[in-house]
Amino acid sequence: MLPRQGRRRAEGETGLEVSVGEMVQLRSGFQLRVEDAYAAGYTGGGTMRLNPMEILEARWCAPDDLPEGLLESHRRLIEASRP
């Protein structure tokens, strides 16, 4: 996925405007499923409107206050991105 596509995808799924940086993870798995993760930052634009076909829940939280039930792989990505 290219940064421009990532911005469109993020905006389409969340309503938020982001800047997309480098790829931080690429995994393949069951039945050719591919997961890609990119560093991204909220640019301050847009209004959070979730696409229910893509995202079940979203909220802002501090890296030290991540919610229970967060996938461990997502927790590691968040923790690895901290300065």
Side-chain angles (χ1 to χ4, degrees), residues 38-70:
Y38 288 79
Y42 175 55
T43 64
T47 302
M48 191 179 297
R49 322 175 288 287
L50 303 182
N51 177 338
M53 299 299 289
E54 298 287 343
I55 299 177
L56 300 176
E57 178 184 357
R59 64 181 166 193
W60 297 110
C61 55
D64 291 332
D65 192 27
L66 297 174
E68 294 289 325
L70 183 67

Side-chain angles (χ1 to χ4, degrees), residues 6-70:
R7 285 192 305 274
R8 283 197 310 258
R9 183 172 164 192
E11 187 171 345
E13 293 178 9
T14 69
L16 301 175
E17 295 175 12
V18 300
S19 61
V20 178
E22 67 184 44
M23 180 185 288
V24 294
Q25 179 175 289
L26 178 63
R27 295 183 347 173
S28 62
F30 182 71
Q31 294 186 350
L32 302 177
R33 176 183 169 156
V34 174
E35 295 179 4
D36 54 350
Y38 288 79
Y42 175 55
T43 64
T47 302
M48 191 179 297
R49 322 175 288 287
L50 303 182
N51 177 338
M53 299 299 289
E54 298 287 343
I55 299 177
L56 300 176
E57 178 184 357
R59 64 181 166 193
W60 297 110
C61 55
D64 291 332
D65 192 27
L66 297 174
E68 294 289 325
L70 183 67

